[in-house]
């Protein structure tokens, strides 16, 4: 069982930046493919970004490409999401997710991930 705890959310003006963190209780964190998802009120959970355990190709939703950067520090068992150029439509609860499996291309499907955090709220004001 892996426990994921997100932090770093908050209220920011449009154009601003936030960095989300996801601390994992996983001794073999580097063996997990990690992802970020978000869910706005009244909408389905949607993919944001994903990253393999070690090296490899990162994967981004078209809506965040060029603005968000996913990264990880395996020594600290922590996943990050740097969000720049925030827009009101980025407002959502952001979740990190984990799957102990190596993929050729980190998946966008929520069903591909086994473990989920409780989420952190990001609100972008116009």
């Amino acid at each position: 069982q892996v426990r994921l705890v997100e932090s770093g959310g908050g209220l920011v003006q449009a154009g601003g930046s936030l960095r989300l963190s996801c601390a994992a209780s996983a001794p073999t964190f580097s063996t997990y493919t990690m992802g970020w998802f978000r869910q706005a009120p009244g909408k389905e959970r949607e993919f944001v970004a994903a990253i393999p355990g070690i090296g490899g190709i990162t994967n981004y939703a078209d809506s965040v490409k060029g603005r968000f950067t996913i990264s990880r520090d395996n020594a600290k068992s922590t996943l990050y999401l740097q969000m720049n150029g925030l827009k009101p439509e980025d407002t959502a609860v952001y979740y990190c997710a984990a799957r102990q499996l190596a993929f050729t291309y980190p998946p966008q499907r929520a069903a591909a991930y086994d473990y989920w955090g409780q989420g952190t709220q990001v609100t972008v004001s116009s």
Side-chain angles (χ1 to χ4, degrees):
Q1 188 74 16
V2 175
R3 183 166 179 256
L4 304 173
V5 180
E6 301 95 337
S7 61
L11 174 64
V12 64
Q13 288 188 333
S17 298
L18 283 174
R19 187 173 85 152
L20 304 183
S21 299
C22 172
S25 64
T28 56
F29 182 66
S30 63
T31 65
Y32 287 80
T33 295
M34 300 296 296
W36 285 102
F37 290 76
R38 66 188 183 186
Q39 188 166 17
K43 295 188 177 181
E44 293 186 355
R45 190 169 297 190
E46 66 173 0
F47 171 76
V48 175
I51 186 169
I54 298 175
I57 301 171
T58 52
N59 190 1
Y60 292 92
D62 288 343
S63 59
V64 307
K65 278 181 183 176
R67 299 188 299 123
F68 291 10
T69 302
I70 188 171
S71 63
R72 63 192 295 162
D73 185 335
N74 287 338
K76 296 182 178 179
S77 297
T78 303
L79 175 73
Y80 302 100
L81 184 68
Q82 178 66 44
M83 305 186 294
N84 299 328
L86 283 161
K87 304 175 181 179
E89 52 263 43
D90 294 318
T91 295
V93 177
Y94 283 71
Y95 299 90
C96 66
R99 173 77 182 270
Q100 193 174 23
L101 186 65
F103 295 89
T104 301
Y105 198 57
Q108 296 190 0
R109 297 174 295 110
Y113 296 86
D114 293 326
Y115 304 102
W116 293 83
Q118 293 300 304
T120 185
Q121 176 70 47
V122 172
T123 303
V124 185
S125 63
S126 57

